[in-house]
Amino acid sequence: MTTNDDTTRTDTARTEAYAPEPPARLPWAQLAPEVYKAMIRLDSAAKQGLDHKLYELVKIRASQINHCAFCIDMHTKDALAAGESVERIIQLSAWEESRHFYTEKELAALELTEAVTVLTDGFVPDEVYANAAKHLDEAELAQLVSAIAVINAWNRFGVTFRMAPGHYEPGQYK
């Protein structure tokens, strides 16, 4: 049971205080409003033609890789609101060992997400791209790569400015 103070949790045995929430480094969206508006437009354009659940799974996975807690919080909540299952979201960080929770198309998209997100490992491998191209038509593939690029950009803002998770409401930024 949570009390009125978000930093204290009460259970039957004891009361424990959570670690304090650090403030964001700066309100970047307010200080760079044209960049923020352009990112919103880019994000809106990138998701066109993509299945909403797939779009959210890709955003969650890239955010997990980039350790962007704010984006993980946001896209997990949006995925749940869109009807995604808790089980599939929980298994997402271990999708390679939990392949039976996902379609072949989703697996190809997750594999591509990892390859595009972790470019320090080198170029996107030909076999990863070919597998994605086998499961998505060209327009959908272009949109997917766009969505992956956009979430990686959002993650950079979230991580750099230390945006705090936990306050987002599903659909808040639509």
Side-chain angles (χ1 to χ4, degrees):
M1 167 174 153
T2 303
T3 64
N4 288 340
D5 179 359
D6 285 340
T7 62
T8 305
R9 178 161 289 226
T10 306
D11 61 26
T12 56
R14 63 186 193 280
T15 301
E16 294 182 37
Y18 288 127
E21 180 180 299
R25 286 181 168 160
L26 58 82
W28 81 270
Q30 293 171 359
L31 296 169
E34 294 306 313
V35 174
Y36 179 75
K37 289 179 208 172
M39 285 295 298
I40 294 289
R41 288 190 305 271
L42 186 60
D43 194 39
S44 180
K47 68 182 170 186
Q48 299 301 313
L50 291 177
D51 173 76
H52 190 68
K53 287 182 182 180
L54 176 66
Y55 171 78
E56 293 299 343
L57 288 174
V58 163
K59 288 192 152 216
I60 294 166
R61 186 63 194 127
S63 299
Q64 289 172 334
I65 294 166
N66 291 322
H67 304 283
C68 185
F70 181 84
C71 292
I72 293 169
D73 178 59
M74 175 190 295
H75 296 293
T76 298
K77 289 174 179 174
D78 282 345
L80 289 168
E84 185 55 81
S85 75
V86 171
E87 189 171 48
R88 283 169 34 104
I89 292 170
I90 290 169
Q91 292 300 318
L92 195 53
S93 65
W95 67 268
E96 290 175 299
E97 292 81 32
S98 305
R99 297 178 70 82
H100 60 285
F101 286 94
Y102 307 99
T103 67
E104 290 298 321
K105 181 178 181 176
E106 290 167 337
L107 291 168
L110 292 170
E111 187 177 37
L112 185 62
T113 299
E114 292 200 6
V116 172
T117 300
V118 188
L119 288 176
T120 55
D121 290 347
F123 295 105
V124 173
D126 290 340
E127 60 276 4
V128 170
Y129 185 86
N131 188 40
K134 184 171 83 174
H135 294 284
L136 296 106
D137 65 39
E138 288 182 340
E140 197 174 20
L141 183 56
Q143 290 300 127
L144 178 61
V145 172
S146 299
I148 296 166
V150 172
I151 190 56
N152 275 281
W154 281 121
N155 291 163
R156 269 60 179 173
F157 289 115
V159 171
T160 301
F161 297 121
R162 298 228 170 106
M163 297 171 66
H167 305 288
Y168 179 77
E169 296 294 326
Q172 180 177 337
Y173 295 124
K174 291 185 180 189

